[in-house]
Amino acid sequence: MPDRRLPVRPNLDQLKHQAKDLLRLIRSGDPVAVEELKKYHPQQVEPNCARLADAQLVLARSYEAPSWPRLVLACELIDAIWCNDVETVRELMLKHPQLLHENAGIRNNNWGPPMSYAANLGRDRIVEMLHGLGATDHHHALGRAALQSKIATARMLHELVGAPPPPADALGGPAYTLSVPGTAFMFELGARVRDENGERLAPVDVVLETDSRNPSAKHQILEMFVEHGLELPDTPTMALHRGRIDLLEKHLRSDRGLLRRTFTHQEIYPPELGCHDEVLATHGTPLAGTTLLHMCVDYDEMEIARWLLDRGMDVDAKAAVDNGAFGGHSALFATVVSQPNFWMNYKGLPQDAPFARLLLDQGADPNARASLRKQLHPGYDEDTMHEYRDVTPLSWGQQFHKKVFVSQPAMRLIAERGGHD
């Protein structure tokens, strides 16, 4: 039974409702709720005798808080930081001084103790106040501010700790969020792309594998790495990652079969740059053995996709088929399940399907068939390998096990063009 995780900004009213719902389930004898009662309550409590205070304690401990009041305190503290309420944060710190060094969100998550949490949001007055009270997480707070592009906050923190040189991994945080300002700031402080022994420090693997999707920022960060002395492979896939149509033109002139080529996972995610396997390199529809057009869809590279099609690329070009008979999918499959779709759904962004529209307008087959298998990054709390045999783009989306990756607008467009499951 997995522990619960607080969201970045927990809602106390929702937690109160959760406690009441849990109490109802415990009293009704729900096996999962009763098991939670046994696991998290320090005493033996008969389910039919449980009270709201028991359910609140169980819920709090499932969130790794020692008690319900401590969970409430976390909500009050985080809410005050979000609201930039300096006085309330100060009062909470003076009344509960241990909070200064504990994780604001209880569990040891990346947002960190109160000063780091405030740095994520650029709450400079709160950062300064917590510094005055004796907070010690300055380096973590600085990294979080740079990661979130809160450069004024990062600069202030850098001065508060005596302006030290950046650590070897200083570029990693901004790389994960594709923060151009954060990357530029770290270079301003003296971050290096290689150490004194010539070993690579620039986190190219993070830039390529992050679940973030921002083509322009990705291009700029990779070019900053190059400007500061890092050499990147001269390959078509890296040209695409860099957004360099000029380099793709050069590759096309020297390789007339480029538009028909498929690329291995290692060619898309070079191990020599620190890249990992297919699970840790976050993407939607599998990219191993695909074409440049498939890559464009998952990396939101519309300009390059148009360039490829204008140069005569087959809109139905298929991925390679592996020894298990998986693969053979066209780029249209990637419009249905992709990393950009995740952010569209997760953040509630406008629902649109520009790549599906582009490919269908170019004559993509809405009823192409392929067999695929997919295991998501463990960070999505679902890391089981799933197999899908002989699916169309529509049935791929209908059957996919994590619906937040699925584009309903793309599926509607495909259905309108005659697609079926």
PDB file of all heavy atoms in Angstrom, residues 216-234:
ATOM      1  N   SER A 216      12.156  25.988 -27.807  1.00  0.00           N
ATOM      2  CA  SER A 216      13.028  27.157 -27.884  1.00  0.00           C
ATOM      3  C   SER A 216      14.035  27.170 -26.739  1.00  0.00           C
ATOM      4  O   SER A 216      15.228  27.420 -26.938  1.00  0.00           O
ATOM      5  CB  SER A 216      12.189  28.431 -27.866  1.00  0.00           C
ATOM      6  OG  SER A 216      13.012  29.581 -27.828  1.00  0.00           O
ATOM      7  N   ALA A 217      13.569  26.896 -25.525  1.00  0.00           N
ATOM      8  CA  ALA A 217      14.470  26.892 -24.373  1.00  0.00           C
ATOM      9  C   ALA A 217      15.490  25.772 -24.486  1.00  0.00           C
ATOM     10  O   ALA A 217      16.677  25.958 -24.173  1.00  0.00           O
ATOM     11  CB  ALA A 217      13.653  26.751 -23.090  1.00  0.00           C
ATOM     12  N   LYS A 218      15.057  24.610 -24.922  1.00  0.00           N
ATOM     13  CA  LYS A 218      15.972  23.485 -25.099  1.00  0.00           C
ATOM     14  C   LYS A 218      17.082  23.848 -26.091  1.00  0.00           C
ATOM     15  O   LYS A 218      18.267  23.601 -25.835  1.00  0.00           O
ATOM     16  CB  LYS A 218      15.189  22.276 -25.592  1.00  0.00           C
ATOM     17  CG  LYS A 218      16.014  21.046 -25.916  1.00  0.00           C
ATOM     18  CD  LYS A 218      15.115  19.972 -26.515  1.00  0.00           C
ATOM     19  CE  LYS A 218      15.895  18.802 -27.047  1.00  0.00           C
ATOM     20  NZ  LYS A 218      15.038  17.838 -27.763  1.00  0.00           N
ATOM     21  N   HIS A 219      16.697  24.448 -27.204  1.00  0.00           N
ATOM     22  CA  HIS A 219      17.692  24.849 -28.201  1.00  0.00           C
ATOM     23  C   HIS A 219      18.695  25.831 -27.602  1.00  0.00           C
ATOM     24  O   HIS A 219      19.908  25.699 -27.791  1.00  0.00           O
ATOM     25  CB  HIS A 219      17.014  25.517 -29.398  1.00  0.00           C
ATOM     26  CG  HIS A 219      15.960  24.685 -30.045  1.00  0.00           C
ATOM     27  ND1 HIS A 219      14.971  25.235 -30.859  1.00  0.00           N
ATOM     28  CD2 HIS A 219      15.709  23.352 -30.014  1.00  0.00           C
ATOM     29  CE1 HIS A 219      14.177  24.273 -31.290  1.00  0.00           C
ATOM     30  NE2 HIS A 219      14.605  23.121 -30.788  1.00  0.00           N
ATOM     31  N   GLN A 220      18.191  26.833 -26.888  1.00  0.00           N
ATOM     32  CA  GLN A 220      19.070  27.869 -26.331  1.00  0.00           C
ATOM     33  C   GLN A 220      20.048  27.290 -25.313  1.00  0.00           C
ATOM     34  O   GLN A 220      21.223  27.679 -25.282  1.00  0.00           O
ATOM     35  CB  GLN A 220      18.235  28.967 -25.677  1.00  0.00           C
ATOM     36  CG  GLN A 220      17.421  29.804 -26.665  1.00  0.00           C
ATOM     37  CD  GLN A 220      16.604  30.866 -25.970  1.00  0.00           C
ATOM     38  OE1 GLN A 220      17.146  31.819 -25.414  1.00  0.00           O
ATOM     39  NE2 GLN A 220      15.279  30.712 -25.992  1.00  0.00           N
ATOM     40  N   ILE A 221      19.575  26.371 -24.478  1.00  0.00           N
ATOM     41  CA  ILE A 221      20.462  25.793 -23.463  1.00  0.00           C
ATOM     42  C   ILE A 221      21.560  24.965 -24.117  1.00  0.00           C
ATOM     43  O   ILE A 221      22.735  25.059 -23.750  1.00  0.00           O
ATOM     44  CB  ILE A 221      19.648  24.963 -22.457  1.00  0.00           C
ATOM     45  CG1 ILE A 221      18.778  25.894 -21.605  1.00  0.00           C
ATOM     46  CG2 ILE A 221      20.571  24.131 -21.570  1.00  0.00           C
ATOM     47  CD1 ILE A 221      17.795  25.175 -20.721  1.00  0.00           C
ATOM     48  N   LEU A 222      21.203  24.151 -25.104  1.00  0.00           N
ATOM     49  CA  LEU A 222      22.219  23.363 -25.791  1.00  0.00           C
ATOM     50  C   LEU A 222      23.231  24.270 -26.481  1.00  0.00           C
ATOM     51  O   LEU A 222      24.439  23.984 -26.479  1.00  0.00           O
ATOM     52  CB  LEU A 222      21.560  22.417 -26.802  1.00  0.00           C
ATOM     53  CG  LEU A 222      20.760  21.254 -26.200  1.00  0.00           C
ATOM     54  CD1 LEU A 222      20.035  20.474 -27.298  1.00  0.00           C
ATOM     55  CD2 LEU A 222      21.662  20.312 -25.397  1.00  0.00           C
ATOM     56  N   GLU A 223      22.769  25.366 -27.071  1.00  0.00           N
ATOM     57  CA  GLU A 223      23.708  26.287 -27.725  1.00  0.00           C
ATOM     58  C   GLU A 223      24.601  26.975 -26.693  1.00  0.00           C
ATOM     59  O   GLU A 223      25.777  27.234 -26.964  1.00  0.00           O
ATOM     60  CB  GLU A 223      22.944  27.317 -28.561  1.00  0.00           C
ATOM     61  CG  GLU A 223      22.219  26.732 -29.771  1.00  0.00           C
ATOM     62  CD  GLU A 223      23.108  25.838 -30.629  1.00  0.00           C
ATOM     63  OE1 GLU A 223      24.216  26.274 -30.997  1.00  0.00           O
ATOM     64  OE2 GLU A 223      22.704  24.692 -30.917  1.00  0.00           O
ATOM     65  N   MET A 224      24.063  27.257 -25.502  1.00  0.00           N
ATOM     66  CA  MET A 224      24.903  27.828 -24.449  1.00  0.00           C
ATOM     67  C   MET A 224      26.005  26.851 -24.052  1.00  0.00           C
ATOM     68  O   MET A 224      27.152  27.250 -23.820  1.00  0.00           O
ATOM     69  CB  MET A 224      24.058  28.211 -23.231  1.00  0.00           C
ATOM     70  CG  MET A 224      23.443  29.601 -23.309  1.00  0.00           C
ATOM     71  SD  MET A 224      22.796  30.157 -21.700  1.00  0.00           S
ATOM     72  CE  MET A 224      21.135  29.509 -21.800  1.00  0.00           C
ATOM     73  N   PHE A 225      25.658  25.576 -23.977  1.00  0.00           N
ATOM     74  CA  PHE A 225      26.676  24.567 -23.663  1.00  0.00           C
ATOM     75  C   PHE A 225      27.782  24.605 -24.716  1.00  0.00           C
ATOM     76  O   PHE A 225      28.977  24.538 -24.384  1.00  0.00           O
ATOM     77  CB  PHE A 225      26.060  23.172 -23.615  1.00  0.00           C
ATOM     78  CG  PHE A 225      25.142  22.905 -22.445  1.00  0.00           C
ATOM     79  CD1 PHE A 225      24.399  21.742 -22.385  1.00  0.00           C
ATOM     80  CD2 PHE A 225      25.019  23.824 -21.404  1.00  0.00           C
ATOM     81  CE1 PHE A 225      23.566  21.472 -21.305  1.00  0.00           C
ATOM     82  CE2 PHE A 225      24.177  23.575 -20.327  1.00  0.00           C
ATOM     83  CZ  PHE A 225      23.454  22.396 -20.275  1.00  0.00           C
ATOM     84  N   VAL A 226      27.393  24.690 -25.979  1.00  0.00           N
ATOM     85  CA  VAL A 226      28.377  24.717 -27.068  1.00  0.00           C
ATOM     86  C   VAL A 226      29.219  25.987 -26.988  1.00  0.00           C
ATOM     87  O   VAL A 226      30.455  25.952 -27.137  1.00  0.00           O
ATOM     88  CB  VAL A 226      27.666  24.606 -28.434  1.00  0.00           C
ATOM     89  CG1 VAL A 226      28.656  24.834 -29.571  1.00  0.00           C
ATOM     90  CG2 VAL A 226      26.994  23.241 -28.578  1.00  0.00           C
ATOM     91  N   GLU A 227      28.572  27.114 -26.738  1.00  0.00           N
ATOM     92  CA  GLU A 227      29.302  28.390 -26.651  1.00  0.00           C
ATOM     93  C   GLU A 227      30.333  28.378 -25.532  1.00  0.00           C
ATOM     94  O   GLU A 227      31.357  29.062 -25.614  1.00  0.00           O
ATOM     95  CB  GLU A 227      28.308  29.529 -26.427  1.00  0.00           C
ATOM     96  CG  GLU A 227      27.441  29.842 -27.642  1.00  0.00           C
ATOM     97  CD  GLU A 227      26.253  30.730 -27.286  1.00  0.00           C
ATOM     98  OE1 GLU A 227      26.208  31.229 -26.129  1.00  0.00           O
ATOM     99  OE2 GLU A 227      25.379  30.915 -28.147  1.00  0.00           O
ATOM    100  N   HIS A 228      30.080  27.590 -24.495  1.00  0.00           N
ATOM    101  CA  HIS A 228      31.011  27.527 -23.366  1.00  0.00           C
ATOM    102  C   HIS A 228      31.989  26.362 -23.497  1.00  0.00           C
ATOM    103  O   HIS A 228      32.665  25.996 -22.529  1.00  0.00           O
ATOM    104  CB  HIS A 228      30.238  27.438 -22.048  1.00  0.00           C
ATOM    105  CG  HIS A 228      29.647  28.761 -21.627  1.00  0.00           C
ATOM    106  ND1 HIS A 228      28.452  29.246 -22.129  1.00  0.00           N
ATOM    107  CD2 HIS A 228      30.112  29.701 -20.763  1.00  0.00           C
ATOM    108  CE1 HIS A 228      28.192  30.414 -21.580  1.00  0.00           C
ATOM    109  NE2 HIS A 228      29.181  30.722 -20.762  1.00  0.00           N
ATOM    110  N   GLY A 229      32.063  25.779 -24.694  1.00  0.00           N
ATOM    111  CA  GLY A 229      33.133  24.837 -24.970  1.00  0.00           C
ATOM    112  C   GLY A 229      32.771  23.371 -25.065  1.00  0.00           C
ATOM    113  O   GLY A 229      33.664  22.531 -25.203  1.00  0.00           O
ATOM    114  N   LEU A 230      31.484  23.030 -25.021  1.00  0.00           N
ATOM    115  CA  LEU A 230      31.112  21.621 -25.125  1.00  0.00           C
ATOM    116  C   LEU A 230      30.890  21.247 -26.584  1.00  0.00           C
ATOM    117  O   LEU A 230      30.218  21.971 -27.326  1.00  0.00           O
ATOM    118  CB  LEU A 230      29.827  21.342 -24.330  1.00  0.00           C
ATOM    119  CG  LEU A 230      29.450  19.864 -24.241  1.00  0.00           C
ATOM    120  CD1 LEU A 230      30.399  19.122 -23.317  1.00  0.00           C
ATOM    121  CD2 LEU A 230      28.011  19.692 -23.760  1.00  0.00           C
ATOM    122  N   GLU A 231      31.429  20.131 -27.001  1.00  0.00           N
ATOM    123  CA  GLU A 231      31.196  19.624 -28.348  1.00  0.00           C
ATOM    124  C   GLU A 231      30.049  18.622 -28.319  1.00  0.00           C
ATOM    125  O   GLU A 231      30.022  17.724 -27.477  1.00  0.00           O
ATOM    126  CB  GLU A 231      32.456  18.950 -28.898  1.00  0.00           C
ATOM    127  CG  GLU A 231      33.604  19.911 -29.150  1.00  0.00           C
ATOM    128  CD  GLU A 231      34.793  19.215 -29.785  1.00  0.00           C
ATOM    129  OE1 GLU A 231      34.678  18.007 -30.116  1.00  0.00           O
ATOM    130  OE2 GLU A 231      35.835  19.864 -29.943  1.00  0.00           O
ATOM    131  N   LEU A 232      29.112  18.785 -29.233  1.00  0.00           N
ATOM    132  CA  LEU A 232      27.986  17.859 -29.351  1.00  0.00           C
ATOM    133  C   LEU A 232      28.157  17.029 -30.613  1.00  0.00           C
ATOM    134  O   LEU A 232      28.754  17.490 -31.589  1.00  0.00           O
ATOM    135  CB  LEU A 232      26.664  18.630 -29.402  1.00  0.00           C
ATOM    136  CG  LEU A 232      26.269  19.370 -28.116  1.00  0.00           C
ATOM    137  CD1 LEU A 232      25.027  20.227 -28.340  1.00  0.00           C
ATOM    138  CD2 LEU A 232      26.041  18.388 -26.977  1.00  0.00           C
ATOM    139  N   PRO A 233      27.636  15.824 -30.643  1.00  0.00           N
ATOM    140  CA  PRO A 233      27.775  14.968 -31.831  1.00  0.00           C
ATOM    141  C   PRO A 233      27.177  15.624 -33.067  1.00  0.00           C
ATOM    142  O   PRO A 233      26.112  16.257 -33.000  1.00  0.00           O
ATOM    143  CB  PRO A 233      26.996  13.703 -31.442  1.00  0.00           C
ATOM    144  CG  PRO A 233      26.938  13.712 -29.954  1.00  0.00           C
ATOM    145  CD  PRO A 233      26.895  15.147 -29.556  1.00  0.00           C
ATOM    146  N   ASP A 234      27.845  15.471 -34.174  1.00  0.00           N
ATOM    147  CA  ASP A 234      27.348  16.014 -35.443  1.00  0.00           C
ATOM    148  C   ASP A 234      26.458  14.967 -36.100  1.00  0.00           C
ATOM    149  O   ASP A 234      26.848  14.301 -37.066  1.00  0.00           O
ATOM    150  CB  ASP A 234      28.527  16.386 -36.343  1.00  0.00           C
ATOM    151  CG  ASP A 234      28.056  17.033 -37.652  1.00  0.00           C
ATOM    152  OD1 ASP A 234      26.886  17.474 -37.717  1.00  0.00           O
ATOM    153  OD2 ASP A 234      28.861  17.079 -38.604  1.00  0.00           O
TER     154      ASP A 234
END
